[in-house]
Amino acid sequence: MPGSMDGLELAAAVSDRWPPIKVIVISGHLRGQHVDLPQGGVFFSKPYETEKVARKLLDMLSTC
């Protein structure tokens, strides 16, 4: 992500400002590392299975 903020910082900022918004973070740089996500956030490492991401999106939308 270009600029001074990375994706995890963006996820935290969105969660702080709009708590009901659910966040999915996808990265190819954080494999095997602990990822500190906002409550309810989900992490997928690249390469990811499209079907798994789609199922998680549907699951997240169904609980709105």
Side-chain angles (χ1 to χ4, degrees):
M1 212 173 113
S4 62
M5 184 180 287
D6 67 20
L8 293 174
E9 292 169 330
L10 176 60
V14 168
S15 182
D16 287 344
R17 183 153 185 190
W18 300 286
I21 292 180
K22 298 175 184 178
V23 177
I24 292 179
V25 174
I26 298 175
S27 175
H29 298 285
L30 300 172
R31 291 184 205 150
Q33 296 180 18
H34 172 74
V35 179
D36 189 24
L37 295 172
Q39 183 176 352
V42 178
F43 176 79
F44 289 96
S45 63
K46 292 180 183 178
Y48 56 87
E49 294 180 39
T50 306
E51 296 81 18
K52 286 184 179 182
V53 176
R55 279 194 299 272
K56 181 46 82 174
L57 282 168
L58 290 173
D59 179 51
M60 292 171 106
L61 289 171
S62 71
T63 60
C64 289

